[in-house]
Coordinates of all heavy atoms in Angstrom, one line a residue:
M1 N -41.0 33.3 68.3 CA -42.4 32.9 68.4 C -42.7 32.1 67.1 O -42.3 32.5 66.0 CB -43.3 34.2 68.4 CG -44.8 33.8 68.4 SD -45.9 35.1 68.3 CE -45.8 35.7 70.0
S2 N -43.2 30.9 67.2 CA -43.4 30.2 66.1 C -44.6 30.6 65.2 O -45.5 31.6 65.6 CB -43.9 28.7 66.4 OG -45.2 28.7 67.1
F3 N -44.8 30.2 63.9 CA -45.9 30.7 63.0 C -47.1 30.5 63.6 O -48.1 31.3 63.6 CB -45.6 30.0 61.7 CG -46.8 30.5 60.7 CD1 -46.8 31.7 60.2 CD2 -47.8 29.6 60.4 CE1 -47.8 32.0 59.3 CE2 -48.8 30.0 59.6 CZ -48.8 31.2 58.9
A4 N -47.3 29.2 64.3 CA -48.7 28.9 64.8 C -49.1 29.9 66.0 O -50.3 30.3 66.1 CB -48.8 27.5 65.4
N5 N -48.0 30.1 66.8 CA -48.3 31.1 67.9 C -48.6 32.4 67.4 O -49.4 33.1 68.0 CB -47.2 31.1 69.0 CG -47.1 29.9 69.7 OD1 -48.0 29.0 69.7 ND2 -45.9 29.5 70.3
D6 N -47.9 32.8 66.4 CA -48.1 34.1 65.8 C -49.5 34.2 65.2 O -50.2 35.3 65.5 CB -47.1 34.5 64.7 CG -47.4 35.8 64.1 OD1 -47.2 36.8 64.7 OD2 -47.5 35.7 62.8
V7 N -50.0 33.2 64.6 CA -51.4 33.3 63.9 C -52.4 33.3 65.1 O -53.4 34.1 65.0 CB -51.6 32.1 63.1 CG1 -53.1 32.0 62.6 CG2 -50.7 32.2 61.9
Q8 N -52.2 32.5 66.2 CA -53.1 32.6 67.4 C -53.1 34.1 67.9 O -54.2 34.5 68.2 CB -52.7 31.6 68.4 CG -52.9 30.1 68.0 CD -52.4 29.1 68.9 OE1 -52.5 29.3 70.0 NE2 -51.7 28.1 68.4
A9 N -52.0 34.5 68.1 CA -52.0 36.0 68.7 C -52.7 37.0 67.8 O -53.5 37.8 68.3 CB -50.5 36.4 69.0
R10 N -52.4 36.8 66.5 CA -53.0 37.8 65.6 C -54.6 37.5 65.5 O -55.3 38.4 65.4 CB -52.4 37.7 64.2 CG -51.0 38.2 64.2 CD -50.3 37.9 62.9 NE -50.9 37.9 61.7 CZ -50.7 37.1 60.7 NH1 -49.7 36.3 60.7 NH2 -51.4 37.3 59.6
L11 N -55.0 36.3 65.7 CA -56.5 35.9 65.7 C -57.1 36.6 66.9 O -58.1 37.3 66.7 CB -56.6 34.4 65.7 CG -58.0 34.0 66.1 CD1 -59.0 34.2 65.0 CD2 -57.9 32.5 66.5
L12 N -56.6 36.4 68.1 CA -57.0 37.0 69.3 C -57.1 38.6 69.1 O -58.2 39.2 69.5 CB -56.3 36.6 70.5 CG -56.3 35.2 70.8 CD1 -55.4 34.8 71.9 CD2 -57.8 34.7 71.2
N13 N -56.1 39.3 68.7 CA -56.0 40.6 68.5 C -57.1 41.1 67.4 O -57.7 42.2 67.8 CB -54.6 41.2 68.1 CG -53.7 41.2 69.4 OD1 -54.1 41.6 70.3 ND2 -52.6 40.7 69.2
A14 N -57.3 40.4 66.4 CA -58.2 40.8 65.4 C -59.6 40.7 65.9 O -60.3 41.7 65.7 CB -58.1 39.9 64.2
L15 N -60.0 39.7 66.7 CA -61.3 39.6 67.2 C -61.5 40.6 68.3 O -62.6 41.2 68.5 CB -61.5 38.2 67.8 CG -61.6 37.0 66.8 CD1 -61.5 35.7 67.5 CD2 -62.9 37.2 66.0
F16 N -60.5 41.0 69.1 CA -60.6 41.9 70.2 C -60.8 43.3 69.5 O -61.7 44.1 69.8 CB -59.4 42.0 71.0 CG -59.4 43.0 72.1 CD1 -60.2 42.6 73.3 CD2 -59.0 44.3 72.2 CE1 -60.3 43.5 74.4 CE2 -59.0 45.2 73.2 CZ -59.8 44.8 74.3
D17 N -60.0 43.7 68.5 CA -60.1 45.0 67.9 C -61.3 45.2 67.1 O -61.9 46.3 67.1 CB -58.8 45.2 66.9 CG -57.5 45.3 67.7 OD1 -57.6 45.7 68.9 OD2 -56.4 45.1 67.0
A18 N -61.9 44.1 66.5 CA -63.1 44.3 65.8 C -64.3 44.6 66.7 O -65.3 45.2 66.2 CB -63.4 43.0 64.9
A19 N -64.3 44.0 67.9 CA -65.3 44.2 68.9 C -66.7 43.7 68.5 O -67.7 44.1 68.9 CB -65.5 45.8 69.3
H20 N -66.6 42.7 67.5 CA -67.8 42.0 67.1 C -67.5 40.7 66.5 O -66.2 40.6 66.1 CB -68.6 42.9 66.0 CG -68.0 43.0 64.8 ND1 -66.9 44.0 64.5 CD2 -68.0 42.3 63.5 CE1 -66.5 43.8 63.3 NE2 -67.1 42.9 62.8
P21 N -68.3 39.7 66.5 CA -67.9 38.5 66.0 C -67.6 38.6 64.4 O -68.1 39.5 63.7 CB -69.3 37.6 66.0 CG -70.0 38.3 67.2 CD -69.7 39.8 67.1
M22 N -66.6 37.8 64.0 CA -66.1 37.9 62.6 C -66.2 36.6 61.9 O -66.2 35.5 62.6 CB -64.6 38.3 62.6 CG -64.5 39.7 63.1 SD -62.6 40.2 63.1 CE -62.4 40.4 61.3
S23 N -66.6 36.5 60.7 CA -66.6 35.4 59.9 C -65.2 34.9 59.6 O -64.2 35.6 59.6 CB -67.3 35.6 58.5 OG -66.5 36.4 57.6
V24 N -65.1 33.5 59.2 CA -63.8 32.9 58.8 C -63.3 33.7 57.7 O -62.0 33.9 57.7 CB -64.1 31.5 58.6 CG1 -62.8 30.8 58.0 CG2 -64.5 30.8 59.9
T25 N -64.1 34.0 56.8 CA -63.6 34.7 55.5 C -62.9 36.1 55.8 O -61.9 36.4 55.3 CB -64.7 34.9 54.5 OG1 -65.4 33.6 54.2 CG2 -64.3 35.5 53.2
E26 N -63.7 36.8 56.7 CA -63.1 38.0 57.1 C -61.8 37.9 57.8 O -60.8 38.6 57.5 CB -64.0 38.8 58.2 CG -65.2 39.4 57.7 CD -66.1 40.0 58.8 OE1 -66.6 39.1 59.5 OE2 -66.1 41.2 58.8
L27 N -61.7 37.0 58.7 CA -60.4 36.7 59.3 C -59.3 36.2 58.5 O -58.1 36.6 58.5 CB -60.6 35.7 60.6 CG -61.2 36.3 61.8 CD1 -61.8 35.2 62.6 CD2 -60.3 37.2 62.6
E28 N -59.7 35.4 57.6 CA -58.8 34.8 56.6 C -58.1 36.0 55.8 O -56.9 36.0 55.6 CB -59.4 33.9 55.8 CG -58.6 32.9 54.8 CD -59.5 31.9 54.1 OE1 -60.7 32.2 53.9 OE2 -58.9 30.9 53.7
T29 N -59.0 36.8 55.4 CA -58.5 38.0 54.5 C -57.7 39.0 55.4 O -56.6 39.4 55.0 CB -59.7 38.9 53.9 OG1 -60.5 37.8 53.1 CG2 -59.2 39.9 53.2
Q30 N -58.0 39.3 56.6 CA -57.4 40.2 57.4 C -56.1 39.7 57.9 O -55.1 40.5 57.9 CB -58.2 40.6 58.6 CG -57.6 41.7 59.6 CD -58.5 42.0 60.7 OE1 -59.7 42.0 60.7 NE2 -57.8 42.7 61.7
L31 N -56.0 38.4 58.3 CA -54.8 37.9 58.8 C -53.9 37.4 57.7 O -52.6 37.1 58.0 CB -55.0 36.7 59.7 CG -56.0 37.0 61.0 CD1 -56.3 35.8 61.8 CD2 -55.2 38.2 61.8
R32 N -54.3 37.3 56.5 CA -53.5 36.7 55.3 C -53.0 35.4 55.6 O -51.7 35.1 55.6 CB -52.5 37.7 55.0 CG -53.2 39.0 54.4 CD -52.1 39.9 53.9 NE -52.6 41.3 53.5 CZ -52.1 42.3 53.3 NH1 -50.9 42.4 53.6 NH2 -52.7 43.5 53.0
V33 N -53.8 34.5 56.1 CA -53.4 33.1 56.3 C -54.4 32.2 55.5 O -55.4 32.6 55.2 CB -53.3 32.7 57.8 CG1 -52.3 33.5 58.6 CG2 -54.7 32.9 58.5
T34 N -53.9 30.9 55.5 CA -54.8 30.0 54.8 C -55.9 29.5 55.8 O -55.8 29.7 56.9 CB -53.9 28.6 54.4 OG1 -53.5 28.0 55.6 CG2 -52.8 29.0 53.5
R35 N -56.9 29.0 55.2 CA -58.1 28.6 56.0 C -57.6 27.4 57.0 O -58.1 27.4 58.2 CB -59.2 28.1 55.2 CG -60.4 27.8 56.0 CD -61.6 27.8 55.1 NE -61.8 29.1 54.5 CZ -63.1 29.6 54.4 NH1 -64.1 29.0 54.7 NH2 -63.2 30.9 53.9
R36 N -56.6 26.6 56.6 CA -56.1 25.6 57.4 C -55.4 26.1 58.7 O -55.6 25.7 59.8 CB -55.2 24.7 56.5 CG -54.6 23.5 57.3 CD -53.7 22.7 56.6 NE -53.1 21.7 57.3 CZ -52.5 20.6 56.8 NH1 -52.5 20.3 55.6 NH2 -52.0 19.7 57.7
D37 N -54.5 27.1 58.4 CA -53.8 27.7 59.4 C -54.8 28.3 60.5 O -54.6 28.5 61.7 CB -52.8 28.7 58.9 CG -51.7 28.0 58.3 OD1 -51.3 26.8 58.6 OD2 -51.0 28.6 57.3
L38 N -55.7 29.1 59.8 CA -56.8 29.8 60.7 C -57.5 28.8 61.5 O -57.6 29.1 62.8 CB -57.7 30.7 59.8 CG -58.8 31.4 60.5 CD1 -58.2 32.3 61.6 CD2 -59.7 32.1 59.5
W39 N -58.0 27.7 61.0 CA -58.8 26.7 61.9 C -57.8 26.0 62.9 O -58.4 25.7 63.9 CB -59.5 25.7 60.9 CG -60.9 26.3 60.5 CD1 -61.1 26.5 59.2 CD2 -61.9 26.5 61.2 NE1 -62.3 27.1 59.1 CE2 -62.9 27.0 60.4 CE3 -62.1 26.5 62.7 CZ2 -64.2 27.5 60.8 CZ3 -63.4 26.9 63.1 CH2 -64.3 27.5 62.2
S40 N -56.6 25.9 62.6 CA -55.7 25.4 63.5 C -55.6 26.4 64.8 O -55.6 25.9 65.9 CB -54.3 25.2 62.9 OG -53.7 24.1 63.1
A41 N -55.5 27.6 64.4 CA -55.4 28.6 65.5 C -56.8 28.7 66.3 O -56.7 28.8 67.5 CB -55.1 30.0 64.9
V42 N -57.8 28.5 65.6 CA -59.2 28.6 66.3 C -59.3 27.4 67.2 O -59.8 27.5 68.4 CB -60.4 28.7 65.2 CG1 -61.7 28.4 65.8 CG2 -60.3 30.0 64.5
R43 N -58.9 26.2 66.7 CA -59.0 25.1 67.5 C -58.2 25.1 68.8 O -58.6 24.8 70.0 CB -58.6 23.8 66.8 CG -59.7 23.2 65.9 CD -59.5 21.9 65.2 NE -58.1 21.9 64.5 CZ -58.0 22.2 63.2 NH1 -59.1 22.5 62.5 NH2 -56.9 22.1 62.7
A44 N -57.0 25.6 68.6 CA -56.1 25.8 69.7 C -56.6 26.7 70.8 O -56.5 26.4 72.0 CB -54.7 26.2 69.3
Q45 N -57.2 27.9 70.4 CA -57.8 28.8 71.1 C -59.1 28.4 71.8 O -59.5 28.8 72.9 CB -57.8 30.2 70.6 CG -56.4 30.9 70.3 CD -55.6 31.1 71.7 OE1 -56.2 31.6 72.6 NE2 -54.4 30.7 71.6
A46 N -59.8 27.7 71.1 CA -61.0 27.0 71.7 C -60.8 26.2 72.8 O -61.5 26.1 73.8 CB -61.8 26.4 70.6
V47 N -59.7 25.3 72.7 CA -59.3 24.5 73.6 C -59.0 25.2 74.9 O -59.3 24.8 76.2 CB -58.2 23.5 73.3 CG1 -57.5 22.7 74.5 CG2 -58.7 22.5 72.2
L48 N -58.3 26.3 74.8 CA -57.9 27.2 75.9 C -59.2 27.9 76.4 O -59.0 28.6 77.5 CB -56.7 28.2 75.5 CG -55.5 27.4 75.2 CD1 -54.5 28.4 74.6 CD2 -54.9 26.7 76.3
G49 N -60.3 28.0 75.8 CA -61.4 28.7 76.3 C -61.4 30.1 75.9 O -62.1 31.0 76.4
N50 N -60.5 30.6 74.8 CA -60.5 31.9 74.5 C -61.5 32.3 73.3 O -61.9 33.5 73.1 CB -59.2 32.3 74.1 CG -58.3 32.3 75.3 OD1 -58.6 32.5 76.4 ND2 -57.0 31.8 74.9
V51 N -61.8 31.4 72.5 CA -62.7 31.5 71.3 C -63.8 30.6 71.3 O -63.7 29.4 71.6 CB -61.7 31.3 70.0 CG1 -62.7 31.5 68.8 CG2 -60.6 32.3 70.0
R52 N -65.1 31.2 70.9 CA -66.1 30.2 70.7 C -66.2 29.9 69.3 O -66.2 30.8 68.3 CB -67.4 31.1 71.0 CG -67.6 31.2 72.4 CD -69.1 31.7 72.7 NE -69.1 32.2 74.1 CZ -69.1 33.5 74.5 NH1 -69.0 34.4 73.6 NH2 -69.1 33.7 75.7
K53 N -66.1 28.5 69.0 CA -66.1 28.2 67.7 C -67.5 28.2 67.0 O -68.6 28.3 67.8 CB -65.7 26.7 67.4 CG -64.3 26.6 67.7 CD -63.6 25.3 67.5 CE -64.3 24.0 67.6 NZ -63.6 22.7 67.4
G54 N -67.7 28.3 65.7 CA -69.0 28.4 65.0 C -68.9 29.6 64.1 O -67.7 30.1 63.8
Q55 N -70.0 29.9 63.6 CA -70.0 31.1 62.6 C -70.9 32.1 63.2 O -72.1 31.8 63.6 CB -70.5 30.6 61.3 CG -69.5 30.0 60.4 CD -68.4 31.1 60.0 OE1 -68.5 32.3 60.1 NE2 -67.4 30.5 59.2
P56 N -70.5 33.3 63.4 CA -69.1 33.8 63.2 C -68.4 33.5 64.5 O -68.9 33.1 65.6 CB -69.4 35.3 63.1 CG -70.7 35.5 63.9 CD -71.5 34.3 63.7
L57 N -67.0 33.6 64.4 CA -66.2 33.5 65.5 C -66.2 34.5 66.5 O -66.2 35.7 66.0 CB -64.7 33.3 65.1 CG -64.6 32.0 64.2 CD1 -63.2 32.1 63.5 CD2 -64.7 30.8 65.0
Q58 N -66.0 34.4 67.7 CA -66.0 35.4 68.7 C -65.2 35.0 69.9 O -65.0 33.9 70.2 CB -67.5 35.8 69.2 CG -68.3 34.7 69.8 CD -69.6 35.1 70.0 OE1 -69.9 36.3 70.2 NE2 -70.6 34.1 70.1
L59 N -64.7 36.1 70.6 CA -64.0 35.9 71.9 C -64.9 35.6 73.0 O -66.1 36.0 73.1 CB -63.2 37.0 72.3 CG -62.0 37.5 71.4 CD1 -61.5 38.9 72.0 CD2 -60.9 36.5 71.4
T60 N -64.4 34.8 74.0 CA -65.2 34.6 75.1 C -65.1 35.8 76.0 O -64.2 36.7 75.8 CB -64.6 33.3 75.9 OG1 -63.3 33.5 76.4 CG2 -64.8 32.1 75.1
A61 N -66.0 35.9 77.0 CA -65.8 37.2 77.9 C -64.6 37.2 78.7 O -63.9 38.2 78.9 CB -66.9 37.2 78.8
A62 N -64.2 36.0 79.1 CA -62.8 35.8 80.0 C -61.6 36.3 79.0 O -60.8 37.0 79.5 CB -62.7 34.5 80.4
A63 N -61.7 35.9 77.7 CA -60.6 36.3 76.8 C -60.5 37.8 76.6 O -59.5 38.5 76.6 CB -60.7 35.6 75.5
R64 N -61.7 38.3 76.4 CA -61.8 39.8 76.2 C -61.3 40.6 77.4 O -60.6 41.5 77.3 CB -63.3 40.2 75.9 CG -63.5 41.7 75.5 CD -64.8 41.9 74.9 NE -64.9 41.3 73.7 CZ -64.4 41.7 72.6 NH1 -63.6 42.6 72.5 NH2 -64.6 41.0 71.4
A65 N -61.7 40.1 78.7 CA -61.1 40.9 79.8 C -59.6 40.7 80.0 O -58.9 41.6 80.3 CB -61.9 40.2 81.0
A66 N -59.1 39.5 79.7 CA -57.6 39.2 79.6 C -56.8 40.1 78.8 O -55.8 40.7 79.1 CB -57.4 37.7 79.5
I67 N -57.4 40.2 77.6 CA -56.6 41.0 76.5 C -56.7 42.5 76.9 O -55.7 43.2 76.9 CB -57.2 40.8 75.1 CG1 -57.0 39.4 74.8 CG2 -56.7 41.8 74.2 CD1 -57.8 39.0 73.4
A68 N -57.9 42.9 77.4 CA -58.0 44.3 77.8 C -57.1 44.6 79.0 O -56.5 45.7 79.1 CB -59.4 44.6 78.2
A69 N -57.0 43.7 80.0 CA -56.0 43.9 81.1 C -54.6 43.9 80.7 O -53.8 44.8 81.2 CB -56.3 42.7 82.1
G70 N -54.2 43.1 79.8 CA -52.9 43.0 79.4 C -52.5 44.2 78.6 O -51.4 44.8 78.7
R71 N -53.4 44.8 77.7 CA -53.3 45.9 77.0 C -53.1 47.3 78.0 O -52.3 48.1 77.8 CB -54.2 46.3 75.9 CG -54.1 45.4 74.8 CD -55.1 45.7 73.7 NE -55.0 44.8 72.5 CZ -55.5 45.0 71.3 NH1 -56.4 46.0 71.2 NH2 -55.2 44.2 70.3
A72 N -53.9 47.2 79.0 CA -53.9 48.3 80.0 C -52.5 48.2 80.7 O -52.0 49.4 81.1 CB -55.1 48.2 80.8
A73 N -52.0 47.1 81.1 CA -50.8 46.9 81.8 C -49.5 47.4 81.0 O -48.5 47.7 81.5 CB -50.7 45.6 82.4
H74 N -49.7 47.1 79.7 CA -48.5 47.3 78.7 C -48.9 48.1 77.5 O -48.9 47.5 76.5 CB -48.0 46.0 78.4 CG -47.6 45.0 79.5 ND1 -46.4 45.2 80.2 CD2 -48.2 44.0 79.9 CE1 -46.3 44.3 81.1 NE2 -47.3 43.4 81.0
P75 N -49.3 49.4 77.7 CA -49.6 50.1 76.6 C -48.6 50.3 75.4 O -49.0 50.5 74.3 CB -50.1 51.4 77.1 CG -49.5 51.4 78.5 CD -49.3 50.1 78.9
A76 N -47.4 50.3 75.7 CA -46.3 50.4 74.8 C -46.3 49.2 73.7 O -46.1 49.5 72.6 CB -45.0 50.7 75.4
A77 N -46.6 48.1 74.2 CA -46.6 46.9 73.5 C -47.7 47.0 72.4 O -47.6 46.5 71.3 CB -46.9 45.7 74.2
V78 N -48.9 47.6 72.7 CA -49.9 47.8 71.7 C -49.6 48.6 70.7 O -49.9 48.5 69.5 CB -51.2 48.2 72.5 CG1 -52.4 48.4 71.5 CG2 -51.7 47.1 73.5
A79 N -48.9 49.8 70.9 CA -48.5 50.7 70.0 C -47.5 50.3 68.9 O -47.4 50.8 67.9 CB -48.1 52.0 70.7

Side-chain angles (χ1 to χ4, degrees):
M1 180 180 283
S2 72
F3 177 73
N5 289 342
D6 180 56
V7 173
Q8 290 176 39
R10 289 172 36 213
L11 167 69
L12 294 174
N13 281 314
L15 288 170
F16 183 83
D17 291 339
H20 67 278
M22 294 179 73
S23 72
V24 171
T25 304
E26 285 178 291
L27 284 164
E28 195 176 18
T29 302
Q30 183 175 341
L31 300 177
R32 294 182 182 164
V33 296
T34 64
R35 191 160 290 220
R36 180 180 177 162
D37 291 334
L38 178 59
W39 276 113
S40 229
V42 168
R43 279 191 303 275
Q45 289 302 312
V47 167
L48 295 172
N50 293 328
V51 174
R52 285 192 195 102
K53 290 193 323 185
Q55 276 290 354
L57 295 169
Q58 58 186 333
L59 289 177
T60 61
R64 186 165 295 286
I67 293 169
R71 287 185 176 189
H74 303 285
V78 176

